[in-house]
Amino acid sequence: MSADGWSSVLVLGGIRSGKSEFAESLVAGAPSVRYVATSAGGEDDPEWRGRIEAHQRRRPQSWTTEETGADPGRLAGLLAEAKPDETLLVDDLGGWVATLLDPANQPNDDVATVAALADAVRACAARLVVVSPEVGLSLVPATPVGRAFADALGTANQALADACDRVAFVVAGRPTWLKAEEVSTSHDAMAAATPPPATTAPAARVTTAAAAAPLTASSGSTATFEAVDPGTAIEAGMDLPLPDSDAGPDARDRLERLDLPGGGIGALLEAVEFAAATQGTATPRPWGPVRVLLIDGRHAGGAAAGTDPAEADRRAAEAEAGEGALARLAATADADVTVVRVPPSGAMEDGPVLDAATVDAALRQGWELAAAAAEDGREALVIGACGTGTEAAATAVMASTTGAEPVATLPRVLVPGARYDDDAWMRRCAAVRDAMHRIRQEPRGPKDVLAQVGGADLAVAAGALLGAAARRMPVFLDGPLGIAAGLVARDLSSQSRHWCLLADAGRLQLVRQGADVLGLTPVLDLGLDLGEGANALAALPLLRSAIALAGALPVHPALLTAPGDAGLDDTGDAAFAEPDPRGPGPASA
């Protein structure tokens, strides 16, 4: 049994009860999950295929899938083979029972097979969650086959309920624990204690974050946010997972052999390698739906010089209504937008912008935002900003963590009409300069930097980066807020930066220099300046196209010729030098 009191959970529920979503939330914090699908057949049933595809879209891309197929004994074998450091999710037992009763598997001692499965659950070394339909609350089926299925599934449910450490029953998305104490997760507690958010019909999902209160959704989905595991401390030295170090180079090598009419995919190779590493496969697939976290932070003092709070309010309202550049790009990139309003931050030149408790709360809320995105089936995050004073705060963070010269990295102040307000820029410079002088002898730990000059918006963004890394979810950085948050997250967990991608370098020296410190190579150099978050969304379709090609195209026919033919060595590989998949460069042109 694990440290938090359970190794196996049986989740029961009726049709559309939310049992699968709840089961998935129990394993959301695991570094990786083996999803065991028990359903067999149904290829000719469009409605059944639609249900399966909905389940597939909801799973994080870091999960692997195994199918038990038409062999009911295969499930017990998988459980026996599982290792102690693995997490398995079996969905669901109804499919397994249907396979067990299939005439092709008869005659068979069904009771003995169920007992063997229960024994395998008891002996399973991995952490295990099993989903099963509860059929005992409906009418007795009218057909012999239906009665046989209900009887067999009821017997199986009883056997596994006895074998598992915990048993939960889900009704209308609300779990009730039937056996022992609750599993150490806040999903069920929040579901029971938090009323469903009000639902309207805007295009964006709107979230309001407060310093001392849990995140609540004011529109869109009714899913609750998973709180940070009490055992997870957001402190410097956090140990988070890393992407697969072999998959990226393997994907690059594979590109050299693909049936492409030209010389390669150029700079887009960076995106293919990143997708391969974060998905753990040399044949990555394009990212599915993504979530934009549009963080609305307000900074006081000189950091906000030249900004109009009413303009920031308008940008946030546009995103909430599904209007404006960001929302339009999101609609074409299969993305939804979460507007996150955070507490105001003080004037950096006068003193700390946040207290320590608010820093911790903001980091935790960012972690929860990443957890919510994973629960909702989003496969990547995009960090964006629409507040006031964020660029100056990001400059101060970069100066504090890297020693960069603020005057060289602070972006100019752009005002409506494509004009620059240099007086406002000088006031921002003075605020950053005074803040740097004020903290010259203060500690420079990541939380210290957030409290002294960073603010709530950067803390929430840094927490989201850490939470995404914990769930093996890629993050697209795009602008000063994302880069500064990446620097803070790196100092809390060095692994976090490996889950970040910079789609376009943009025009800002702060972004280019910060990306260099983080070791991020921009995929593109389009010089986009559409607003933080919008640049990544504009580039995303192109990145998806490159990844789709890399994963779908076969090896060139000329490289499949039998060994011994001209141009091939004894292994069947090309004996001549092949072109770089990025295309000709200075050395080969």
Side-chain angles (χ1 to χ4, degrees):
M1 186 173 293
S2 61
D4 54 1
W6 67 277
S7 332
S8 55
V9 177
L10 174 64
V11 179
L12 300 168
I15 297 172
R16 299 297 190 191
S17 62
K19 60 183 182 296
S20 292
E21 291 90 337
F22 175 69
E24 290 162 9
S25 76
L26 294 177
V27 299
S32 63
V33 176
R34 289 170 63 192
Y35 184 96
V36 181
T38 62
S39 177
E43 293 81 2
D44 300 327
D45 186 342
E47 191 273 338
W48 184 249
R49 285 203 315 272
R51 286 174 179 252
I52 293 175
E53 290 169 359
H55 277 249
Q56 292 171 338
R57 288 192 298 270
R58 200 168 60 230
R59 298 174 209 157
Q61 60 186 14
S62 62
W63 291 14
T64 59
T65 301
E66 296 196 34
E67 297 181 357
T68 57
D71 178 11
R74 174 65 180 143
L75 179 55
L78 285 174
L79 300 185
E81 297 165 1
K83 302 297 189 296
D85 59 348
E86 290 186 300
T87 300
L88 273 64
L89 173 58
V90 179
D91 195 355
D92 67 11
L93 203 60
W96 180 82
V97 168
T99 302
L100 181 64
L101 298 179
D102 190 308
N105 292 317
Q106 298 298 326
N108 181 65
D109 189 344
D110 298 339
V111 174
T113 305
V114 169
L117 178 61
D119 290 340
V121 168
R122 290 188 182 92
C124 183
R127 175 163 283 203
L128 173 66
V129 177
V130 181
V131 181
S132 185
E134 175 50 62
V135 295
L137 301 179
S138 61
L139 297 174
V140 175
T143 64
V145 172
R147 289 192 293 272
F149 176 79
D151 290 345
L153 185 56
T155 299
N157 284 345
Q158 290 184 54
L160 264 67
D162 183 65
C164 288
D165 299 327
R166 305 284 187 266
V167 180
F169 183 51
V170 182
V171 178
R174 295 296 188 263
T176 299
W177 292 96
L178 305 180
K179 181 177 180 181
E181 298 178 357
E182 296 183 5
V183 170
S184 178
T185 174
S186 65
H187 181 288
D188 46 323
M190 292 187 69
T194 305
T199 55
T200 56
R205 172 191 174 111
V206 186
T207 302
T208 301
L215 290 158
T216 56
S218 60
S219 67
S221 168
T222 59
T224 55
F225 293 146
E226 179 195 4
V228 177
D229 187 328
T232 302
I234 304 179
E235 299 287 350
M238 293 180 69
D239 187 21
L240 296 177
L242 280 169
D244 189 322
S245 60
D246 295 326
D250 289 348
R252 180 192 183 98
D253 293 343
R254 183 176 179 276
L255 278 172
E256 297 178 357
R257 301 173 58 81
L258 292 187
D259 187 12
L260 286 168
I265 61 174
L268 295 173
L269 174 65
E270 186 77 22
V272 174
E273 287 195 34
F274 176 79
T278 53
Q279 295 177 27
T281 174
T283 55
R285 60 180 178 81
W287 299 289
V290 304
R291 173 156 296 167
V292 181
L293 299 182
L294 185 62
I295 302 177
D296 182 4
R298 308 300 172 95
H299 294 259
T307 59
D308 182 0
E311 176 68 8
D313 291 336
R314 185 177 72 84
R315 294 295 183 192
E318 277 186 343
E320 292 170 359
E323 301 171 352
L326 184 73
R328 292 179 182 275
L329 287 168
T332 63
D334 192 15
D336 63 9
V337 180
T338 295
V339 178
V340 185
R341 292 187 171 87
V342 302
S345 303
M348 67 173 72
E349 62 269 37
D350 296 335
V353 298
L354 294 177
D355 58 38
T358 305
V359 170
D360 286 335
L363 286 168
R364 285 180 176 269
Q365 289 180 342
W367 184 290
E368 291 173 356
L369 283 167
E375 285 187 12
D376 292 344
R378 299 303 178 263
E379 297 186 3
L381 291 180
V382 176
I383 302 295
C386 67
T388 60
T390 301
E391 292 178 339
T395 301
V397 167
M398 185 162 169
S400 301
T401 57
T402 70
E405 174 54 53
V407 173
T409 56
L410 178 66
R412 296 180 71 184
V413 181
L414 184 66
V415 297
R419 296 182 299 106
Y420 290 104
D421 186 341
D422 288 335
D423 288 338
W425 181 82
M426 286 188 285
R427 294 200 301 275
R428 293 188 186 186
C429 273
V432 175
R433 176 203 63 199
D434 292 348
M436 292 296 98
H437 181 76
R438 178 179 60 79
I439 68 171
R440 65 190 184 281
Q441 294 182 338
E442 297 291 336
R444 298 293 178 93
K447 289 189 177 182
D448 300 314
V449 170
L450 289 173
Q452 292 288 352
V453 297
D457 48 355
L458 270 80
V460 168
L465 294 184
L466 295 168
R471 289 159 181 81
R472 299 177 178 270
M473 177 186 292
V475 181
F476 298 105
L477 302 185
D478 183 14
L481 175 68
I483 290 295
L487 292 169
V488 173
R490 176 205 61 173
D491 291 343
L492 287 166
S493 172
S494 61
Q495 297 92 346
S496 62
R497 67 185 181 89
H498 295 282
W499 296 95
C500 298
L501 182 74
L502 184 62
D504 181 62
R507 300 178 180 179
L508 301 181
Q509 181 61 24
L510 187 155
V511 173
R512 290 176 176 267
Q513 193 166 326
D516 186 61
V517 173
L518 288 170
L520 302 180
T521 301
V523 178
L524 305 171
D525 193 5
L526 303 177
L528 294 175
D529 193 10
L530 301 172
E532 188 158 1
N535 300 322
L537 290 178
L540 185 56
L542 181 58
L543 305 187
R544 281 177 168 145
S545 296
I547 295 167
L549 279 175
L553 287 179
V555 173
H556 193 285
L559 302 179
L560 296 176
T561 309
D565 286 357
L568 298 175
D569 61 20
D570 291 339
T571 66
D573 292 328
F576 51 83
E578 295 184 353
D580 189 302
R582 293 170 295 186
S588 58

